[in-house]
Amino acid sequence: MAKVLCVLYPDPVTGYPPQYARDSIPKLTEYPGGMSLPTPSTIDFTPGELLGCVSGELGLRKFLESQGHEFIVTSDKDGADSEFDRHLPTADIVISQPFWPAYLSADRIAKAPNLKLAITAGIGSDHVDLDAAIARGITVAEETYSNSISVSEHAVMQILALVRNYLPAHEWVVNGGWNIADSVERSYDLEGMDCGVIAAGRIGLAVLRRLKPFGVKLHYFERRRLAPEIEEELGLMYHSDVESMLEMIDVLSIHAPLQPETYHLFDDAMIGKMRRGSYIVNTARAEIMERDAVVRALRSGQLAGYAGDVWYPQPPAVDHPWRTMPHEGMTPHMSGSSLSAQARYAAGTREILEDWFAGTPIREEYLIVDGGKLAGAGAVAYTTGGASSPGSSGS
Ligand code: NDP
């Protein structure tokens, strides 16, 4: 029997919700491109429930305990005295979400001799030291596509919020004002602007598709160029290097994984290559940015706005400068944890666990590390050699 240690974000401050804003969520049939949705044998939750917090338990308790497994759920994940650290030495399986990551550093992995499987409920396993996982033969898996569209919607929302100056205008209303001039002095139309994405993978391409109807000119930088039909359909301009794209765009949305190549890619010099008054939305990983360079660029006016939902570390300190820098539209790391997304990645987590306990292969699409090497989706999306060393990178 296995000990499953699950780290989830805390419940709402008002307690676990007795009811929800909506009675149901739409039923999808497949992911874009035809990949199938998670296929667990059954689920023990109602899609649309809050599953990603401690009381939600990813809907896994009945399933795990009915098979005799021990299931520990906690949000207490940081510091040597945390509940996570207390249980880690005897855990066989660790589950955590990128929104509230249990950083599985090399040190922690060394203290977990039984650990065989690390599941990311969601997408993005850079909170796990993949090199250490490879060395120890630990399998790492995540639920590819489960929240890609969720994130793309959030990115487009934040682009519009920044360009149109939505958040400051909303604040005027909440504070009893009717300050049109104050609200519009930084408000523009997106229409006609040049918008670019870094990485046109699942999320980046979905962002491009969603921006198209706004009448913008679309650009992208990718290591591998998209098919000509897609470029034509969306009217995309391809850039073989980031710099050439930055000179031509007003809005940038970042969707590349955190890797040695993207770590601190955006420093003063790189942001300085952009047009004055550009906007950046980053829903990929915080450490693609040099933290204080973002603050300086907003203060100087080089950037007109910065938004996103990824921070380092997570949760960030109360005095993290991104909380108070000017012209920001930050949210906590929530884009990929909508109630809709939770239903998919909770089902995907169960699918992975069912396969694991049955000894059947986990879908290639879900695998990041397996058999002592990068595998499946991970072999495409990740690199080793310091690719993900929580504590020095990863968010
Ligand atoms: P995909 O794997 O579908 O796409 C990633 C793309 O990035 C691929 O096309 C890949 O190209 C490209 N890429 C890889 N390395 C680089 C590089 N060094 N420079 C430029 N492009 C590169 O991933 P997703 O679109 O699903 O997710 C992207 C990222 O978004 C994740 O890595 C994760 O960090 C973040 N994310 C954030 C979430 C949130 O809640 N905010 C939720 C989910 C993901 P190639 O094919 O050549 O490898």
Side-chain angles (χ1 to χ4, degrees):
M1 292 302 109
K3 175 168 179 171
V4 182
L5 176 55
C6 184
V7 174
L8 300 175
Y9 44 76
D11 286 2
V13 288
T14 48
Y16 193 72
Q19 60 170 19
Y20 293 89
R22 296 179 53 77
D23 296 329
S24 64
I25 58 171
K27 269 203 175 104
L28 305 182
T29 50
E30 60 180 24
Y31 292 122
M35 180 179 154
S36 65
L37 294 164
T39 53
S41 59
T42 185
I43 50 171
D44 298 315
F45 59 84
T46 304
E49 288 175 347
L50 180 54
L51 302 166
C53 68
V54 170
S55 294
E57 301 183 320
L58 292 175
L60 292 172
R61 184 167 295 280
K62 186 172 161 202
F63 158 65
L64 288 170
E65 290 188 343
S66 69
Q67 297 200 1
H69 303 299
E70 187 184 358
F71 187 40
I72 309 286
V73 182
T74 180
S75 63
D76 183 19
K77 69 185 183 71
D78 293 317
D81 227 12
S82 67
E83 200 174 344
F84 176 63
D85 278 86
R86 284 202 300 276
H87 285 286
L88 191 58
T90 48
D92 300 286
I93 297 173
V94 164
I95 304 172
S96 93
Q97 303 165 105
F99 324 106
W100 189 263
Y103 294 109
L104 269 177
S105 60
D107 283 354
R108 273 177 161 165
I109 285 175
K111 289 179 194 147
N114 299 348
L115 185 62
K116 295 169 204 72
L117 173 65
I119 303 178
T120 301
I123 302 174
S125 296
D126 43 89
H127 58 282
V128 180
D129 188 314
L130 298 184
D131 292 317
I134 286 169
R136 266 281 310 280
I138 294 167
T139 296
V140 181
E142 60 185 48
E143 290 91 27
T144 299
Y145 239 135
S146 58
N147 56 19
S148 308
I149 300 304
S150 325
V151 179
S152 73
E153 289 185 3
H154 197 90
V156 172
M157 172 188 79
Q158 291 192 316
I159 290 170
L160 285 167
L162 289 181
V163 173
R164 302 214 46 101
N165 206 36
Y166 170 55
L167 292 171
H170 179 67
E171 234 169 85
W172 281 113
V173 175
V174 171
N175 293 331
W178 188 252
N179 299 51
I180 311 293
D182 294 284
S183 299
V184 300
E185 67 173 342
R186 296 181 66 87
S187 177
Y188 297 89
D189 290 353
L190 184 62
E191 185 180 28
M193 286 192 176
D194 285 275
C195 299
V197 304
I198 293 184
R202 293 178 190 85
I203 300 173
L205 183 57
V207 167
L208 290 167
R209 287 194 190 288
R210 280 155 183 73
L211 286 176
K212 167 90 175 146
F214 284 96
V216 293
K217 286 165 256 163
L218 293 172
H219 304 248
Y220 76 105
F221 161 73
E222 242 305 347
R223 298 189 302 189
R224 269 179 290 192
R225 201 164 168 167
L226 293 168
E229 311 84 79
I230 301 179
E231 286 192 357
E232 200 174 321
E233 175 202 336
L234 299 175
L236 302 179
M237 179 180 280
Y238 173 68
H239 297 264
S240 56
D241 62 281
V242 178
E243 289 87 342
S244 81
M245 181 172 80
L246 294 185
E247 289 165 7
M248 291 186 64
I249 59 173
D250 307 291
V251 178
L252 174 68
S253 195
I254 302 177
H255 302 292
L258 179 65
Q259 296 176 338
E261 299 93 309
T262 56
Y263 178 80
H264 284 191
L265 178 63
F266 280 82
D267 54 11
D268 292 300
M270 192 64 102
I271 297 174
K273 292 185 196 300
M274 302 183 80
R275 293 173 175 167
R276 192 190 77 83
S278 291
Y279 303 90
I280 297 180
V281 167
N282 176 13
T283 51
R285 285 298 179 260
E287 286 197 294
I288 294 172
M289 317 304 296
E290 205 269 284
R291 187 191 74 175
D292 295 337
V294 174
V295 181
R296 284 190 289 273
L298 287 167
R299 291 218 173 105
S300 72
Q302 175 59 17
L303 287 181
Y306 181 90
D309 70 329
V310 284
W311 305 68
Y312 186 78
Q314 292 191 170
V318 284
D319 61 353
H320 190 295
W322 287 7
R323 291 183 189 269
T324 49
M325 61 192 178
H327 316 306
E328 57 77 28
M330 296 297 296
T331 61
H333 195 168
M334 60 170 283
S335 65
S337 194
S338 59
L339 295 176
S340 322
Q342 288 174 43
R344 292 187 292 271
Y345 67 67
T349 301
R350 173 145 177 184
E351 177 188 333
I352 291 169
L353 288 168
E354 285 182 1
D355 284 338
W356 181 263
F357 292 131
T360 51
I362 295 169
R363 283 197 215 194
E364 282 286 306
E365 293 145 339
Y366 291 169
L367 285 175
I368 303 301
V369 168
D370 194 40
K373 57 181 184 338
L374 289 174
V380 181
Y382 291 88
T383 49
T384 50
S388 61
S389 317
S392 64
S393 67
S395 62

